[in-house]
Amino acid sequence: MLNALMLLGLFGLGVPVVIHLINRQRMRPQPLATLKFLDQKDVANAFAPVPRDLLQLILRLLLLLLFVLLMTRLVGPGRTPGPRSVAIVLDNSMSMQRLGTDGTTSLFELHRARALELVRGMNPDDTFSFALVGDKVFEHSGFTSDAALLEHAVTNAWVSDGGGRSLMAAVEDAVRELRSLRVPNPAVLVFSDQQRSNYATQLEALTAGGGGTEASMLARQLAGSRVKLVFVTDPLVEQPNVVLEDAEFYPPATYLGSSSKVTARLYNGSDTQQTAVVSLQSGPVSVGSRSCALAAGETAQVELVRTFDSPNDSAWGVNVSEDGFVADNDTTTIMRMLKRRQVLLVAPSRYPEPEGLSIGTTGPDLFSLAVNPSQVTGETAGETFVSVKRIRPAELESRALSMYSMIVLYGLADLPSPKCSEDLVEYVRHGGGIYIIPDAEVGSPSFNKTFEPFLAGFQLGDILEPVGGQAIDGDENRVADPLLHDLLRGEWGTINDLRIARYFSTGAEGELVAALRTARGDTLLGVASLGEGQVCIQTHSWNVDDTSFPRSLCFVPVVHAIIDRLTGANDAPPARPDAILVGDSHRLALAQFRGLGGEVILKGPRDYAFAMSPEDEHVTVKDIYVAGAYRVTHPGKFAARERWLTVNRSTSESDLTVAGADDLAALCGGREVVAASDQLDGLFSRGRELYPLLMILVLAALLAESLGSVFGRRKGVAHEPAA
Amino acid sequence: MPDATDNLTIDPRLLQRLKGVELRSRFLVRGLYENRHRTKDFGASNEFVEHKSYQQGDEIRTIDWRAFARTKRLYVKRFEMEANMKVHLLLDTSASMQVPASDGRLSKLDLAATIAGAIAMMAADQQDSPGLFCIGDQIDEAIPACQGKRHLALLFQHLGRPPGKGGGDFGALAWDAMQRIGRKGVTVVLTDALDDFEPLFETLKGLVVREQDVILLQIMDEDELTFPFDVMTEFRHPESGQRIMGDPMQLRADYLERLEAHQNELRTFCDQHGIDYLRIHNGDDLITLLSSHFLHRLARGGARC
């Protein structure tokens, strides 16, 4: 009986009885002058039940009864199972990649094949639904009799690298839907490895509730329901498992030709010692490996070093040798390549460039040497990732300033043209850095006038030549900018011996933020912001006659600190590469696709597309449930710099503890709910819904009742005696 | 026509149809006044009867001089004498006649009163004298036969308010009424004839003996003839109050059989005693039925005379 609630309709049987009784009560005496012609035998039985009325009453009761039974949807015995209404829930979490007993086929494939077999064996009056569930419901067909649609859905089912957090909710939904549908032979088949973490929340709630089944939503739904819930479990191969928890490069970004170290963290989840081989892979090619022995339950870190000889960002795989659970054997990480920085040094002709590989002693020469000694000396040693391009002021107009990370204006009192000044201002406003170094040949008024757009109100005063040189103020509280705090703290050597023999006094401080001062308080180095870029102004030159800095150990760090500051705004690598876990959402900054709009395509193990607004340079990626390295592309810009996004598995999914039959039974209110996949055939009761038979009976009863009424009325006029 | 219809509504179409039908006695009646009814007496009507040898005392004007011329003997021509007629209406007003009819039809009593009124009006129209006896549990009204509009109005007044009560012995009470009627005339008995036949038959025979032209109009309800009931019903006799509850579907066959036997017995009696019998029920087309019946009656009467 599929709709027992309709049995309430049996109360309606009282209606014809009551009507019958009322009709008897309301029987008004019919005056009949010919009463003497009535048969005395019938008169004697007048108060006995009258067969015709009784028959009519019985017919009406039978009609009502049959109608109620029709509405209750009776199921009678039959030779074939069904009609069946089955909700197939297939777990596609990462743990389903465990191998079955044959050692070659994953549990997911085994269960998918079993589900496919069920779908292909559907009878025409069966209705099935298929749900592919992991951390979310990836596929839900709804209840249908279309076997082809279901077969397509099952065939295309895929296994994710996420967990099974939504499995229990999907099972509850399926049970609830089957309850509400009131369908024959209802069953929910959960094809899963029954990983305990999938049911952890509900099991913990049961434990917290004292073990009572009333705590389980599923148990409440199943109570009093005909829905059969079966957790399909199949035997698994128990093999030792070494989990590769994560792996990442340090530093996460580097320059072309330099190296980085990848650190992989391993965990031996088995009870015995295991030896794992960790390898770093570029695509399918292994570029380095190390072996590591782990005791039972031990966690270890394995480091591999790699030198990067490609200018492009790249995705690297790290994996461990095959074990009992291959799904957690690999991870991916990204190496971002930093661009070399190029400094444009503009110095007047009074600073001739040294010929050949000789080393000059002028301020610009010493600055160049500090920036990249290898470039000046022509030797490999001392190579940095900053190169210096030295030009005359007249060449400034012909240079594409945006190609340079920063510009050093050394000893300049004038610029070649006003347009040159405007170009420099635009350069800074768009994130460039300018380092202005006046020397003793520069007049303050002329300097102040020429560089007025960059000085932020700062003005040079008179040139000072204190006797014995001016010492550096070592109090870091007197400088607002922390640029040279390491210098003041003596990190780069003592500053007591440092002397400034010639420098410009401060005419006006303006909005310049001092980073270095003399002992008498004059600003030696200050930083001002202009648009997105910065301007650094130094009130003394690097000429050896003017300062003792070039002869000190702190000269190179100071120069590189200033370069890092002025180039950082333009070419700073992100703090960390774009790396997420499966199912996470992440806001990806894609300046190179700014203004394009459309869709950003992530190409990897599966392709994903995410909409991008033309007004925004960010795109939010989410719902990626297949781990791997994804290349970020845009159909509208093929030549953009490569960007990568890595999606890795959560280590919690490597906990392969299985919920026992008792646990599952407790979740379902004590029902026996576990069965192997080859035991499903006996699950469904054999029978057929009786509605065709009941419908015929209802119609027959209706016809008999109608004929009885009509015949009764006609019989009344059929015996009129002849006049 | 008199204004007597104030108390009894008679379908004008019925009166129109009956107007051309002469209510004639199939027997000779003797009347106080010459009328259109034939009697044994000879009179001055236009209907020639026979020649008779002239005897002393015969009126000279009745001598047939043409016959004298041919035969040299005196013959007198004799003509029928038309006389008026007493028409007595014996109306059964017992409770069994008062049973209300279904489907808006007239009750038996109303139907009988209507027919009685029509006959009375027809009689008055041809200068006859209608009289009325209303018989319930006793002779409630006894209006002697008389002529005149005032008499007719009185008669209609009583027909308009028949008592419709009591009953059970119409035949015996009709016998009493017969004693007051006298000889010769027309007696119309309007009853459902559902009581015991014996007193009724005795009365009818008595009327025949008294040379009354008896017309028995059996007034029935259509439901009594067809017994159309189909649900469990409690039947009650309007006079005795006896109640019977039963399934009409079961009772019908026997009921109709007994009723038909009863009717046959009544019809046979009337045929044997020369009583003009007509059964009328409230579902009949009264106009057609009555007019055709009186036409046939006229035809039959002519043949016998």
Side-chain angles (χ1 to χ4, degrees):
Chain A
M1 191 177 293
L2 303 176
N3 200 356
L5 199 62
M6 284 295 163
L7 283 178
L8 291 174
L10 288 177
F11 286 111
L13 290 178
V15 174
V17 175
V18 170
I19 291 173
H20 180 75
L21 293 176
I22 289 174
N23 278 341
R24 283 175 67 101
Q25 291 294 322
R26 287 183 176 176
M27 207 178 291
R28 287 184 300 179
Q30 170 67 39
L32 186 69
T34 52
L35 192 74
K36 68 176 184 179
F37 301 123
L38 292 179
D39 193 346
Q40 293 303 311
K41 288 183 296 183
D42 295 329
V43 170
N45 297 326
F47 289 92
V50 183
R52 186 182 158 275
D53 268 9
L54 206 57
L55 183 63
Q56 196 171 36
L57 175 66
I58 289 170
L59 266 179
R60 286 172 180 170
L61 289 175
L62 181 65
L63 180 64
L64 196 58
L65 176 69
L66 288 173
F67 185 73
V68 169
L69 292 179
L70 183 69
M71 296 307 289
T72 57
R73 302 180 62 188
L74 274 182
V75 177
R79 280 175 293 183
T80 56
R84 298 171 296 175
S85 293
V86 180
I88 298 173
V89 180
L90 178 57
D91 178 10
N92 79 335
S93 63
M94 187 179 85
S95 58
M96 289 289 284
Q97 297 179 43
R98 302 169 71 179
L99 297 178
T101 48
D102 63 353
T104 55
T105 312
S106 72
L107 186 61
F108 179 80
E109 289 168 342
L110 284 172
H111 279 180
R112 183 174 60 180
R114 189 68 186 95
L116 201 57
E117 195 178 323
L118 279 172
V119 167
R120 285 174 177 161
M122 280 176 67
N123 294 322
D125 48 357
D126 288 344
T127 53
F128 279 28
S129 79
F130 174 72
L132 185 67
V133 183
D135 275 338
K136 59 180 280 188
V137 178
F138 294 100
E139 178 77 39
H140 195 297
S141 66
F143 280 94
T144 176
S145 298
D146 189 348
L149 186 147
L150 288 164
E151 189 174 336
H152 181 265
V154 176
T155 307
N156 289 320
W158 53 279
V159 63
S160 77
D161 290 316
R165 288 195 294 266
S166 295
L167 186 67
M168 199 62 181
V171 172
E172 289 170 1
D173 281 351
V175 172
R176 189 180 307 120
E177 191 171 4
L178 278 175
R179 274 183 65 112
S180 64
L181 286 178
R182 301 196 183 285
V183 288
N185 240 338
V188 179
L189 306 181
V190 185
F191 289 94
S192 170
D193 62 335
Q194 318 306 350
Q195 192 181 15
R196 186 178 176 82
S197 60
N198 295 342
Y199 313 107
T201 308
Q202 288 77 14
L203 289 172
E204 285 168 10
L206 276 182
T207 307
T213 53
E214 65 278 7
S216 166
M217 169 74 80
L218 194 57
R220 287 199 297 273
Q221 287 179 344
L222 288 172
S225 163
R226 295 175 302 102
V227 179
K228 293 177 182 171
L229 175 60
V230 176
F231 290 95
V232 182
T233 56
D234 281 328
L236 296 164
V237 176
E238 292 296 335
Q239 287 185 336
N241 183 32
V242 175
V243 183
L244 175 57
E245 293 189 332
D246 62 15
E248 62 180 1
F249 281 111
Y250 185 82
T254 188
Y255 293 98
L256 179 65
S258 62
S259 61
S260 183
K261 177 178 65 183
V262 64
T263 303
R265 195 149 53 93
L266 308 179
Y267 169 70
N268 180 8
S270 67
D271 297 332
T272 57
Q273 178 174 324
Q274 299 294 322
T275 300
V277 177
V278 181
S279 59
L280 179 66
Q281 291 188 310
S282 174
V285 180
S286 174
V287 294
S289 63
R290 282 185 66 182
S291 178
C292 174
L294 296 101
E298 184 185 10
T299 299
Q301 289 188 342
V302 177
E303 295 177 343
L304 293 165
V305 177
R306 172 69 184 170
T307 301
F308 299 94
D309 51 7
S310 167
N312 296 323
D313 294 353
S314 51
W316 297 82
V318 180
N319 61 19
V320 293
S321 47
E322 282 194 7
D323 55 12
F325 185 42
V326 296
D328 59 4
N329 283 359
D330 56 77
T331 185
T332 52
T333 184
I334 300 297
M335 173 51 68
R336 295 205 67 183
M337 302 306 293
L338 298 174
K339 284 198 294 186
R340 298 178 70 89
R341 284 168 288 181
Q342 194 166 22
V343 175
L344 183 65
L345 176 57
V346 185
S349 56
R350 60 178 177 274
Y351 296 111
E353 208 167 347
E355 296 181 357
L357 293 176
S358 60
I359 301 172
T361 55
T362 63
D365 297 337
L366 296 173
F367 175 80
S368 298
L369 183 64
V371 170
N372 193 344
S374 173
Q375 184 183 3
V376 174
T377 61
E379 295 181 4
T380 309
E383 185 181 9
T384 66
F385 300 99
V386 186
S387 58
V388 179
K389 177 65 180 175
R390 190 162 163 177
I391 61 169
R392 298 293 179 209
E395 300 173 53
L396 190 58
E397 282 186 299
S398 62
R399 292 287 169 178
L401 301 182
S402 60
M403 297 293 293
Y404 299 95
S405 304
M406 64 175 286
I407 299 170
V408 181
L409 303 176
Y410 197 103
L412 295 185
D414 296 304
L415 290 171
S417 66
K419 182 178 182 307
C420 187
S421 175
E422 292 170 5
D423 289 345
L424 286 172
V425 169
E426 286 303 309
Y427 170 75
V428 178
R429 285 188 188 280
H430 286 94
I434 292 183
Y435 185 17
I436 303 173
I437 306 173
D439 62 3
E441 301 298 322
V442 173
S444 302
S446 171
F447 179 90
N448 291 337
K449 184 179 178 184
T450 302
F451 295 104
E452 189 266 338
F454 306 99
L455 298 181
F458 177 79
Q459 288 193 337
L460 291 182
D462 297 333
I463 194 162
L464 301 177
E465 297 180 7
V467 178
Q470 183 64 48
I472 305 295
D473 185 354
D475 185 359
E476 63 184 54
N477 292 325
R478 297 190 60 193
V479 290
D481 193 302
L483 174 62
L484 297 177
H485 273 185
D486 286 346
L487 172 69
L488 301 180
R489 293 169 186 165
E491 297 286 340
W492 299 333
T494 179
I495 60 171
N496 295 334
D497 299 336
L498 291 176
R499 288 292 183 272
I500 309 298
R502 188 186 296 157
Y503 68 98
F504 289 94
S505 62
T506 302
E509 285 279 356
E511 296 178 5
L512 193 71
V513 182
L516 190 66
R517 290 182 187 276
T518 63
R520 66 184 292 263
D522 291 323
T523 300
L524 286 176
L525 187 72
V527 181
S529 295
L530 181 60
E532 295 179 14
Q534 289 183 316
V535 179
C536 189
I537 299 157
Q538 186 173 299
T539 58
H540 64 94
S541 73
W542 293 125
N543 295 342
V544 293
D545 297 337
D546 295 344
T547 177
S548 62
F549 262 97
R551 290 192 293 271
S552 70
L553 290 174
C554 62
F555 178 57
V556 172
V558 165
V559 167
H560 277 277
I562 294 169
I563 290 172
D564 284 347
R565 166 64 73 87
L566 293 180
T567 58
N570 218 12
D571 193 20
R576 291 184 63 82
D578 295 310
I580 60 173
L581 297 178
V582 287
D584 286 354
S585 63
H586 179 63
R587 191 168 160 82
L588 207 58
L590 298 170
Q592 63 268 44
F593 299 147
R594 182 192 297 146
L596 292 178
E599 284 186 335
V600 171
I601 310 295
L602 267 59
K603 293 185 175 177
R606 287 170 68 98
D607 287 356
Y608 293 92
F610 298 97
M612 183 179 187
S613 168
E615 294 80 26
D616 196 359
E617 63 180 41
H618 292 87
V619 67
T620 301
V621 297
K622 58 184 179 181
D623 292 341
I624 300 176
Y625 287 95
V626 178
Y630 290 85
R631 196 154 66 86
V632 183
T633 64
H634 194 292
K637 195 169 184 179
F638 292 103
R641 174 183 172 175
E642 278 193 359
R643 283 290 299 274
W644 290 86
L645 170 73
T646 59
V647 181
N648 287 314
R649 303 170 178 90
S650 167
T651 55
S652 63
E653 288 305 307
S654 295
D655 180 4
L656 301 178
T657 309
V658 173
D662 293 341
D663 292 334
L664 295 173
L667 279 178
C668 302
R671 286 190 179 197
E672 193 68 32
V673 289
V674 176
S677 61
D678 54 359
Q679 297 174 337
L680 299 179
D681 291 335
L683 178 67
F684 303 103
S685 59
R686 298 176 186 278
R688 296 193 62 80
E689 202 170 347
L690 297 178
Y691 67 86
L693 175 64
L694 286 172
M695 181 62 82
I696 290 170
L697 289 175
V698 165
L699 291 176
L702 194 61
L703 188 64
E705 206 281 335
S706 306
L707 284 177
S709 301
V710 171
F711 179 72
R713 278 197 292 275
R714 287 188 176 172
K715 193 177 176 184
V717 297
H719 290 82
E720 184 175 2
Chain B
M1 297 297 293
D3 294 330
T5 54
D6 293 345
N7 299 311
L8 177 67
T9 304
I10 300 175
D11 191 338
R13 290 176 299 165
L14 174 62
L15 297 176
Q16 184 65 31
R17 294 286 294 272
L18 293 178
K19 191 174 182 180
V21 180
E22 292 184 337
L23 181 64
R24 292 175 179 258
S25 171
R26 283 179 289 151
F27 301 100
L28 299 178
V29 296
R30 186 181 296 276
L32 295 178
Y33 309 102
E34 288 186 351
N35 206 325
R36 281 175 288 180
H37 297 286
R38 288 170 293 177
T39 69
K40 286 188 195 174
D41 300 334
F42 299 98
S45 72
N46 292 325
E47 291 289 333
F48 170 76
V49 179
E50 62 183 355
H51 281 99
K52 171 184 164 291
S53 297
Y54 176 76
Q55 294 179 354
Q56 196 172 357
D58 290 337
E59 288 188 28
I60 301 300
R61 59 186 178 96
T62 61
I63 296 173
D64 186 350
W65 295 113
R66 289 186 181 178
F68 175 75
R70 287 196 300 271
T71 63
K72 303 299 183 187
R73 295 180 65 181
L74 287 172
Y75 291 99
V76 294
K77 292 168 71 176
R78 302 217 300 188
F79 294 89
E80 282 186 352
M81 187 187 78
E82 291 187 342
N84 67 336
M85 183 177 63
K86 286 184 179 177
V87 180
H88 285 97
L89 302 164
L90 301 187
L91 179 61
D92 183 357
T93 62
S94 63
S96 66
M97 295 286 286
Q98 184 65 339
V99 174
S102 57
D103 298 338
R105 297 192 297 263
L106 293 173
S107 70
K108 290 193 289 184
L109 186 56
D110 289 338
L111 179 64
T114 302
I115 295 170
I119 293 172
M121 193 173 293
M122 186 168 60
D125 190 40
Q126 56 195 31
Q127 306 304 315
D128 290 333
S129 302
L132 175 66
F133 290 88
C134 293
I135 303 171
D137 50 359
Q138 59 184 353
I139 299 177
D140 296 318
E141 299 292 341
I143 304 171
C146 189
Q147 281 188 324
K149 291 181 180 178
R150 189 170 300 171
H151 172 76
L152 190 62
L154 174 67
L155 201 143
F156 272 87
Q157 189 177 353
H158 285 92
L159 285 176
R161 292 196 299 272
K165 61 181 180 180
D169 200 6
F170 175 77
L173 293 170
W175 178 270
D176 295 341
M178 180 187 71
Q179 305 301 327
R180 307 184 198 180
I181 290 175
R183 298 179 64 83
K184 295 188 179 178
V186 176
T187 300
V188 182
V189 182
L190 299 108
T191 177
D192 51 10
L194 295 176
D195 297 331
D196 290 341
F197 276 150
E198 190 178 349
L200 177 64
F201 285 173
E202 288 300 319
T203 302
L204 292 176
K205 283 191 278 187
L207 286 170
V208 172
V209 168
R210 284 168 172 73
E211 297 182 78
Q212 288 285 340
D213 181 7
V214 182
I215 302 174
L216 175 60
L217 297 180
Q218 187 186 17
I219 310 298
M220 297 292 283
D221 190 284
E222 188 177 11
D223 289 351
E224 293 169 350
L225 295 173
T226 59
F227 206 65
F229 315 105
D230 57 357
V231 295
M232 191 73 175
T233 309
E234 185 186 51
F235 300 102
R236 178 179 60 81
H237 194 272
E239 294 176 2
S240 64
Q242 183 188 2
R243 290 168 183 259
I244 292 177
M245 187 168 68
D247 180 13
M249 304 298 289
Q250 278 197 321
L251 299 170
R252 179 180 290 119
D254 288 343
Y255 169 87
L256 293 175
E257 192 176 339
R258 290 194 182 103
L259 177 65
E260 192 164 2
H262 177 86
Q263 299 289 88
N264 287 337
E265 186 180 356
L266 179 61
R267 193 178 295 114
T268 304
F269 173 82
C270 291
D271 287 344
Q272 289 173 348
H273 293 84
I275 297 171
D276 192 6
Y277 168 78
L278 177 64
R279 193 196 70 197
I280 302 172
H281 65 76
N282 51 5
D284 281 334
D285 181 359
L286 191 60
I287 300 167
T288 305
L289 189 65
L290 274 182
S291 58
S292 63
H293 177 76
F294 282 114
L295 280 172
H296 280 97
R297 174 186 159 82
L298 182 62
R300 288 198 303 272
R304 296 177 85 178
C305 292

